[in-house]
Amino acid sequence: MSLIVQKFGGSSVADAESIKRVAKRIVETRKAGNEVVVAVSAMGDTTDELLDLAHQVTPIPAPRELDMLLTAGERISMALLAMSIRSMGHDARSFTGSQAGMITDARHGQARIVDVTPVRVRDALDEGAIAIVAGFQGFNRGTGDITTLGRGGSDTTAVALAAALHADVCEIYTDVDGIFTADPRVVPRAQKIDRISSEEMLELAANGAKVLYIRAVEYARRHGVTLHVRSSFNNNEGTIVYNPTEENSESPVEEPLIAGVATDLSEAKITVVGVPDIPGKAAQIFNIVAKTGANIDMIVQNVSAAATGLTDISFTLPKSDGQTVLTALTAEQTDVGFRGLQYDDQIGKLALVGAGMRTNAGVSAKLFTALYEAGINIEMISTSEIRISVVTRADTVNDALRVVHTAFGLDADDEAVVHGGTGR
Ligand code: ADP
Ligand code: ASP
Ligand code: MG
């Protein structure tokens, strides 16, 4: 008997009909003789709608209360799914995150899993039932409060359950047929990838490919969980995310040059203008930024003007951290001695990812040429061993994605199918 963890995203359980369709699929897996644990997201765009509602009440909702509100979304879908399965004559029990033993730290909105004790889930399985667990939520022992794991966090719930229960498979069901070389909503000729390394998937997820949540990929990598991302709308094979460090035999003979391209419109750019070009200034600036807890991404420092001895330092960060960081820097302006700050929230980031880049020259040249030929200006560049990222104007980033996808020969012959979801 195998133990299978299945995660269904919001677009797969958007309405009553979808819930019944998913219930049928779960029952089929059970009938095939497997033990089944399900992690489920809130229906459709429920989480976004609850967030909108909170912001209609107050501009800055209290984090504890926001988590109380948002976790209600998954509570609805888990109960409906369990009811639906029971109506088909199979035993099913739903559990909240805390009932399922998802123990986290106390950071509301971004909690990290510190322990997983799925005793009640295991008991339900032992009694022959299907266990349905609310995704995206946990519980902190110190405060006794309910937490959430960050947007997209149901993926993490599934992976954490798979690791704790030593599942044979962790399947992530969504509204597309797997992981593609680019978001198929933006690039219709994106290609489905059969197998991708967790290393490449981490880079794609970190750079805006929301098909998998970055923390879930990290968790899977650390705990040796293999993921199968596939559609809940058909039975096609999806994409396997494998850990090359775990089993080298699983690695392809030669790594592909490019795995995929991702874009991200959630970042902004801050430029610290007129910074004295003397040792210690960058340290001072980024210490101030670090104290705010903001996660910065790209950093660029200009050559200083000989006449003034002043330089500019630019960096990107999530738009949601923008105001906090601006305030923190302004408070220390005299001490650091910079001239001013510029804030730009109309940027887009594009990242080209591929493990084969490590051993191939000319990838940057090809990327920059494709963008130049499309008349797209590059504002910032950063690279890692297996990634090249550029910042462009926000309104050109989708065009950039399409031309880069074509330039690297990633276009498929047929158009990809997007089965559901609103893309929100
Ligand atoms: P779910 O509700 O199942 O969690 P998400 O909306 O979080 O689904 O993620 C699936 C969506 O991710 C797809 O509909 C697609 O638009 C988007 N996406 C972005 N990049 C990619 C990619 N490289 N491959 C597949 N889907 C992608
Ligand atoms: N419902 C949550 C969200 O929309 C968690 C998830 O779907 O993974 O972010
Ligand atoms: Mg998701």
Side-chain angles (χ1 to χ4, degrees), residues 7-12 41 44 152 155 172-176 178-185 193 201 204 208-212 261 418 420-421 423-424:
K7 179 257 173 178
F8 292 91
S11 52
S12 296
S41 294
D155 294 342
I172 308 285
Y173 286 91
T174 184
D175 54 10
V176 288
I179 298 162
F180 285 72
T181 48
D183 186 344
R185 274 179 216 277
I193 303 168
M201 190 58 227
L204 288 174
K210 70 164 182 165
V211 61
L212 275 180
V261 202
V418 177
R424 188 170 176 182

Side-chain angles (χ1 to χ4, degrees), residues 231-247:
S231 165
S232 70
F233 295 79
N234 59 41
N235 283 316
N236 299 348
E237 282 292 302
T239 304
I240 300 290
V241 185
Y242 65 92
N243 299 300
T245 45
E246 294 290 319
E247 285 171 63

Side-chain angles (χ1 to χ4, degrees), residues 30 35 93 119-129:
R30 179 75 190 95
E35 291 185 313
R93 267 168 246 173
V119 180
R120 297 194 60 188
V121 172
R122 189 61 259 177
D123 287 349
L125 295 177
D126 291 342
E127 287 162 28

Side-chain angles (χ1 to χ4, degrees), residues 18 42 57 82 93 100 108 154 164 187 282 290 295 319 332 374-375 383 405 408:
S18 308
V57 174
R93 267 168 246 173
H108 287 293
S154 297
V187 182
N295 253 327
K319 280 179 191 166
E332 308 278 342
T383 60
H405 196 266
F408 281 89

